[in-house]
Amino acid sequence: ELKPSTLRRYQSSLRLLDPKFGGVKLSDIDREKLRAYVADRLETGTSMPTVRRDLAFLSSVVTEAGAHWEFEGNVVMSFLKAGRKRGTLRDSEPRTRYLSANDERKLLANCDESLEFAVAFAIDTGLRREEQFGLRWNDIDMNNGVLEVSGERTKTRKTRLVPLLPRSAQMLAQRKQHTLGENFVFSKADGSRYPHRRRAFDTALKRANLCNLTWHDLRTTCGCRLLQDLGMTMDQVRAWLGHSSVAVTERHYAFLSIDNLKAAAQKSAQSSGLHKAS
């Protein structure tokens, strides 16, 4: 039932955990071994969120063991909880990089046709990479101007509908006539899907003289446009982007100007009926 991206991440964590914990009984894993693992990873320059993901995977292994065999307690889970409470295993701050309108024009001007379509679509929809490149034509309802992101590909496992902005709708309409419903929207010449467009994207960034930009920053750009340009509330942006809660949305976009955030908060209060009657 794992998503392909989750499976790849678990396999990566397993390769990194194995030298330290391979052959060790689960009952022999203690806080001292966990602290040593964290220290070793940090010494190699690994970020704390990556280390936490490895430990979260190890915790899931311990939990699974307890579901099948007589094994009680999960020291990894308690270690993670204690670390978050003390601040030693805290999350990193969200990225604040997003494209200005001018940066977007420069980037698109240095993309080939297929990459331009993918980049513009990412900015307009805010889909995560796996959500976007796993999209098929029968997930798109051109008549109603929406696309459906299956719960099989979303981070929260919940299916959601995302409106199509005019630019993306037009680009989709130009391509749909040459495709079949089961085909991937973003596909190679042989019809197979792109796992990503990292190499082409990096090349376009260099040509556009843009730095410190990742594909995920296109999703952040979408969220900023929804809040700043379209005046959406935090809850509307949460639903659009598929965040698990409004708190997550607020944390990711706390870097926006206070005026933007106050306007979004006020609009959220008004839509919830919390504003005072005039």
Side-chain angles (χ1 to χ4, degrees):
E1 298 178 358
L2 292 176
K3 295 185 294 183
S5 58
T6 303
L7 180 59
R8 288 193 296 270
R9 179 165 60 80
Y10 281 0
Q11 290 170 334
S12 176
S13 292
L14 185 58
R15 286 192 295 270
L16 293 164
L17 289 161
D18 188 59
K20 196 75 174 180
F21 297 102
V24 178
K25 291 182 178 181
L26 295 182
S27 57
D28 290 338
I29 296 177
D30 54 23
R31 293 176 181 273
E32 183 178 349
K33 289 184 173 64
L34 294 172
R35 282 193 290 267
Y37 176 78
V38 172
D40 288 347
R41 294 299 308 282
L42 293 178
E43 284 183 6
T44 64
T46 305
S47 67
M48 182 59 76
T50 299
V51 176
R52 286 185 63 248
R53 284 195 293 268
D54 293 344
L55 294 180
F57 166 71
L58 181 59
S59 176
S60 70
V61 171
V62 175
T63 299
E64 187 71 11
H68 293 278
W69 298 283
E70 293 184 3
F71 183 84
E72 297 182 359
N74 188 335
V75 68
V76 187
M77 183 180 295
S78 61
F79 179 79
L80 284 169
K81 289 181 178 179
R84 283 194 292 267
K85 185 176 294 185
R86 292 195 304 268
T88 56
L89 291 174
R90 61 183 179 274
D91 291 327
S92 61
E93 291 299 315
R95 283 177 60 84
T96 61
R97 181 75 165 96
Y98 67 100
L99 287 169
S100 66
N102 185 52
D103 285 345
E104 180 184 346
R105 284 191 291 270
K106 289 196 298 183
L107 175 57
L108 294 178
N110 285 278
C111 295
D112 60 33
E113 184 179 357
S114 65
L115 182 61
E116 180 184 7
F117 172 40
V119 169
F121 194 87
I123 293 172
D124 287 354
T125 63
L127 298 187
R128 299 179 179 90
R129 187 197 301 268
E130 180 61 27
E131 293 173 348
Q132 177 172 344
F133 289 104
L135 199 66
R136 296 180 184 269
W137 284 103
N138 54 11
D139 296 324
I140 298 173
D141 183 349
M142 296 295 294
N143 292 329
N144 292 310
V146 296
L147 64 85
E148 180 179 283
V149 187
S150 169
E152 295 178 356
R153 297 195 305 274
T154 64
K155 191 173 183 179
T156 60
R157 292 290 187 180
K158 295 179 180 178
T159 297
R160 74 180 189 278
L161 297 178
V162 177
L164 292 173
L165 296 180
R167 175 173 64 174
S168 290
Q170 182 179 359
M171 299 176 89
L172 287 168
Q174 292 172 347
R175 289 162 174 77
K176 186 172 178 58
Q177 58 185 328
H178 306 297
T179 64
L180 298 175
E182 290 295 329
N183 288 359
F184 290 106
V185 175
F186 301 93
S187 61
K188 303 176 185 178
D190 61 2
S192 61
R193 61 158 283 181
Y194 283 106
H196 53 72
R197 298 300 306 273
R198 186 176 297 114
R199 184 176 299 177
F201 183 65
D202 288 345
T203 299
L205 290 176
K206 290 179 181 178
R207 290 174 177 170
N209 196 28
L210 295 173
C211 59
N212 188 30
L213 192 78
T214 67
W215 190 274
H216 194 80
D217 294 333
L218 304 180
R219 173 174 162 85
T220 303
T221 299
C222 177
C224 292
R225 302 273 172 87
L226 297 178
L227 287 166
Q228 295 176 309
D229 299 345
L230 299 185
M232 289 189 175
T233 67
M234 285 289 182
D235 191 54
Q236 289 171 328
V237 174
R238 175 205 61 78
W240 185 303
L241 297 179
H243 288 153
S244 58
S245 68
V246 175
V248 174
T249 309
E250 291 173 342
R251 179 171 180 267
H252 278 80
Y253 293 95
F255 65 90
L256 294 178
S257 71
I258 187 64
D259 290 338
N260 290 125
L261 295 177
K262 284 172 63 178
Q266 184 178 18
K267 191 169 183 179
S268 294
Q270 292 173 347
S271 65
S272 302
L274 299 178
H275 63 292
K276 295 181 180 179
S278 57

